[in-house]
Amino acid sequence: MRHATSVLLACLLLARPGATEQDKKKPADKKPLVVPLVKTPIKKGALRAGHELKAEIPLQAWQAKIGTETLLFVDFDGNDQIVPGTDGLSMPSTGPYVVLLPETLLLKAGQFKLAFEGTKQVTLTPDDLGAAQQHVADASVFTEIRLRAGLKPAALDPQMCADCDKHADYLKANGLDGREGPAHEEDPAKPGYTAEGAAAGMASNVIKTVREIRKHIMAGYCQPYHGITLLYPGTDKIGVTNKNNVSMIYVSNFVQLSGELFFHPADGAIGVPTALGNGDFPESPNPVPGTQGGLGAGYPIIVMLNGRYTDVESAELVDGGGKPIKGLWSTPAKPANPARPDNKGCVFFIPSRPLSGNTLYRATIKFPGGDKPMSWSFTTGPK
């Protein structure tokens, strides 16, 4: 009887009305892409090792054009083999950084598993992301900002996307999909509660009444408190949704680890945005007292301290001509907003006004007991 029931259940599942619709959400073309690699000379110093990557950059790389994006693959050990997890990846449009090459890469054209034939060609096999396939183009901006920061990119995870959907459903079921009310927590006693949705809610950046995932990612990237969650070096998977007028970005490894200081924007970064919240989205809690969630302020400078310091001895940001930029410094010892008494374990500098476009800036910080000030520079993109 149990066997017959199982067979009947399997038949019903195969025949369910939603199966055809679900199949339509899979990649339209599952045929692998085979892309030739072109040997490309690299000028000494043109590429830099990403965060915590200890490797000397060779004077040549292997270029591939995938859709509208150009990638460089770096053979660190010079054995004429490109191997994920061992060799490097760079995207010239995002800046000079080389990071460890992941096995799965999220791009505008799709999410792919990578396999290399020496340095001759790369085969990209599309991931079957199911319903999450609809988010690929927008979510791919996460790859761009990770590479700009010198961090290894993350893959779009369909289960994490489904968990985001569950949290968005919970918010709607309880009338919390509008601007008012909790955005992250779930109550087990309320309709729509799931453990998966609750976990997603607590580990996500959540914006209500905004559906554009790409815009949400860029807004978070331009905020201090929420921006930190997109910059953890250990993040290797993300989930997103834009359901019920709720947009979510769910990141894995939602923790800071001990290690070397992390500076953002990174030294040599290009195309850095100019305004907090990308000019449109206020931050909560308010990082700049006396403002509407920091609106009107400039792009935040962040130093992830990883427990090594709690304050600065001196700090400044100057433009290319050496003119100091006015703004607010915030540290764990002196947080700008008491609602974040640990200041997220970071130093923040928030310029009083948006930074100028296409401009070089230099930040300098001296930590108590440090041997000498630390200084780095970056260049903004168009305003």
Side-chain angles (χ1 to χ4, degrees), residues 329-345:
W329 287 94
S330 184
T331 69
K334 301 183 183 71
N337 190 328
R340 281 286 182 267
D342 63 348
N343 213 56
K344 298 284 282 190

Side-chain angles (χ1 to χ4, degrees), residues 292-306:
Q292 183 186 347
L295 287 181
Y299 186 84
I301 313 306
I302 297 171
V303 182
M304 200 178 291
L305 299 173
N306 291 324

Side-chain angles (χ1 to χ4, degrees), residues 16-355:
R16 74 193 193 282
T20 301
E21 288 75 8
Q22 192 75 357
D23 287 343
K24 291 178 181 178
K25 295 180 180 180
K26 296 178 182 179
D29 183 4
K30 299 179 183 178
K31 184 178 179 181
L33 302 176
V34 180
V35 180
L37 300 177
V38 179
K39 187 176 180 179
T40 304
I42 301 298
K43 185 178 179 181
K44 187 174 180 60
L47 295 180
R48 305 185 185 195
H51 181 64
E52 295 185 335
L53 179 61
K54 310 299 182 184
E56 184 175 345
I57 308 299
L59 298 181
Q60 66 182 26
W62 303 91
Q63 180 177 295
K65 186 73 175 291
I66 301 168
T68 61
E69 296 174 302
T70 298
L71 305 179
L72 293 177
F73 300 106
V74 177
D75 179 12
F76 282 134
D77 50 14
N79 65 351
D80 293 325
Q81 300 289 326
I82 305 295
V83 181
T86 298
D87 292 311
L89 166 71
S90 182
M91 184 183 291
S93 64
T94 66
Y97 280 98
V98 179
V99 302
L100 278 179
L101 175 63
E103 294 183 358
T104 301
L105 187 58
L106 173 62
L107 299 170
K108 290 179 182 177
Q111 181 160 287
F112 304 96
K113 293 286 192 303
L114 305 179
F116 294 83
E117 184 179 329
T119 54
K120 178 183 176 182
Q121 64 187 32
V122 56
T123 299
L124 301 99
T125 302
D127 268 356
D128 185 354
L129 298 175
Q133 186 68 32
Q134 63 184 308
H135 302 311
V136 164
D138 280 348
S140 68
V141 72
F142 195 73
T143 297
E144 298 173 27
I145 67 175
R146 296 282 292 184
L147 290 172
R148 182 174 287 113
L151 298 172
K152 185 178 178 181
L156 185 64
D157 184 85
Q159 184 58 58
M160 292 176 71
C161 292
D163 294 346
C164 288
D165 286 343
K166 290 179 181 180
H167 185 64
D169 287 341
Y170 169 88
L171 293 177
K172 183 175 182 179
N174 292 281
L176 298 173
D177 49 327
R179 292 185 183 275
E180 301 300 322
H184 297 281
E185 300 85 1
E186 291 194 15
D187 184 342
K190 290 188 175 181
Y193 171 85
T194 63
E196 299 84 2
M202 291 305 297
S204 292
N205 289 359
V206 182
I207 295 182
K208 299 178 183 180
T209 72
V210 173
R211 291 186 61 85
E212 299 91 342
I213 291 172
R214 186 180 184 90
K215 186 180 289 187
H216 181 183
I217 293 174
M218 286 303 299
Y221 174 58
C222 299
Q223 296 172 337
Y225 305 134
H226 287 87
I228 285 297
T229 64
L230 307 183
L231 298 172
Y232 292 128
T235 294
D236 58 359
K237 296 185 295 184
I238 62 168
V240 299
T241 195
N242 57 353
K243 190 176 184 183
N244 304 332
N245 289 324
V246 173
S247 178
M248 292 176 60
I249 311 166
Y250 180 18
V251 298
S252 66
N253 296 326
F254 189 72
V255 292
Q256 279 182 243
L257 304 175
S258 60
E260 63 184 67
L261 299 176
F262 175 74
F263 297 87
H264 182 76
D267 190 24
I270 63 172
V272 175
T274 61
L276 189 145
N278 218 20
D280 296 317
F281 293 89
E283 171 74 295
S284 179
N286 188 352
V288 186
T291 69
Q292 183 186 347
L295 287 181
Y299 186 84
I301 313 306
I302 297 171
V303 182
M304 200 178 291
L305 299 173
N306 291 324
R308 294 180 59 182
Y309 302 100
T310 60
D311 207 351
V312 299
E313 186 175 305
S314 62
E316 69 172 356
L317 178 70
V318 300
D319 63 18
K323 179 182 177 181
I325 305 302
K326 294 181 180 179
L328 175 69
W329 287 94
S330 184
T331 69
K334 301 183 183 71
N337 190 328
R340 281 286 182 267
D342 63 348
N343 213 56
K344 298 284 282 190
C346 298
V347 171
F348 297 137
F349 175 70
I350 302 178
S352 298
R353 297 179 179 179
L355 301 175

